[in-house]
Amino acid sequence: MILAHLDVVPAPPEGWDVPPFSGEERDGYIYGRGTLDDKSCVIGVLQALELMLKRGYKPKRSFYIGLGHDEEVSGHNGAMKIVERLQSRGVKLLFVLDEGLAVLDGVIQGVKRPVALIGTTEKGSITLNLTVNQPPGHSSMPPEETSIGILSAAVSRLERNPLPNMFGVGPEASMFEQLAGEFAFPLNVMMANLWLFSPIISRVLERTPSSNAIVRTTTAITIFNAGVKSNVIPRMARATVNFRIHPGQTVTEVLDIVRNTISDERVEISVLNSFDPLPISPFDESNFGYQTLQRTIHSVFSAAPVAPGVCIGNTDSRHFVNLTDSIYRFSPFKMKSEDLSR
Ligand SMILES: CCCCCCCC/C=C\CCCCCCCC(=O)N[C@@H](CCSC)C(=O)O
């Protein structure tokens, strides 16, 4: 089954080089909200179908295409409905391919050649609302601590105390072991001997946001709200925090750590949504899905070695776990380090 999604996150009008829905082509790039996530995969799938139809191609086995329309808001009415329908028909899938990792070109420090990473698992996620309620008042007679001050301190504690570096206890270690030969000396030796060098490698990886994301559960403060008037101390302050959970941890473990870090009963913690990291899909030589994907990647990006990786973002494919144990996340485009912020 091949998945992609049509929806995009909202586009604020300001801050764009070109209008966000123009799809303008400039210097070899298509600009527009959702170009990478996930229009490129949608168009890739549709163009491939069109080409196969034109050529009268007859596939050896049947396959499904699933195009979701609400991936960015958890896929409740898209992917989840597709899964329900397939389950009601008793369908089992050989493998699922969805968006995800890509051909990384200069993204992994120390690796010269572009490398294709197939996401064989996906991080979990937990989103929390932190709320502080304190008596409101006039700014001329402020109390020692306000709802805003208490919440800011809690949020700051979360940022200053990241969750532990878990490198070596998760599947990201397999990625570095398989790519060891791509690094120059002495990194190649270190990557091939993680049993000895993982303490050093783990410290290096946490220095940049993209590699930090694969060694730990990350903490991102995404919404912060309080106050409506400059001379009024508000009753309520609220922040939303999103954690992406490393495959070696669970929602429950993360929640316990967060409670201990905040350690302030005035901060009410409520869970907006959560799910554990996804199971690791097989990537051995006998696995049909992984091997098919690897062969196909080689035929298009011939210079790129292929390795399994951890998808740091979430995809619709997580809803398919009861239909197959083989779920792969790969978007067929090259990504450079400057593209990571796009
Ligand atoms: C050693 C360095 C490795 C660095 C790896 C970084 C590679 C980054 C490449 C791709 C990014 C992955 C993106 C996956 C697709 C994410 C899609 C998405 O945004 N999904 C939403 C879903 C929301 S569901 C509530 C999300 O927020 O994750």
Side-chain angles (χ1 to χ4, degrees), residues 235-300:
R235 179 184 296 281
M236 189 181 79
R238 173 169 287 161
T240 303
V241 192
N242 178 237
F243 301 85
R244 298 299 170 115
I245 306 173
H246 183 276
Q249 274 178 327
T250 62
V251 166
T252 314
E253 286 164 1
V254 171
L255 207 44
D256 279 351
I257 296 176
V258 167
R259 286 212 172 92
N260 278 335
T261 305
I262 292 180
S263 195
D264 185 339
E265 284 178 0
R266 296 169 299 176
V267 182
E268 183 198 314
I269 302 174
S270 57
V271 179
L272 287 182
N273 53 60
S274 67
F275 54 91
D276 282 324
L278 277 295
I280 301 172
S281 297
F283 52 90
D284 54 278
E285 283 181 6
S286 63
N287 184 268
F288 177 81
Y290 189 84
Q291 293 305 325
T292 303
L293 202 45
Q294 177 161 293
R295 256 198 332 274
T296 311
I297 294 171
H298 276 149
S299 71
V300 180

Side-chain angles (χ1 to χ4, degrees), residues 123 165 205-218:
K123 290 180 92 176
N165 187 325
L205 290 174
E206 64 183 4
R207 288 193 201 142
T208 49
S210 58
S211 49
N212 183 48
I214 68 162
V215 301
R216 60 159 39 90
T217 297
T218 50

Side-chain angles (χ1 to χ4, degrees), residues 37 71-72 74 99-100 176 210 214 244 311 313-314 335 340:
D37 179 12
E71 187 270 352
E72 299 293 356
S74 289
E99 64 172 331
F176 285 102
S210 58
I214 68 162
R244 298 299 170 115
C311 191
N314 295 121
M335 204 167 205
L340 293 177

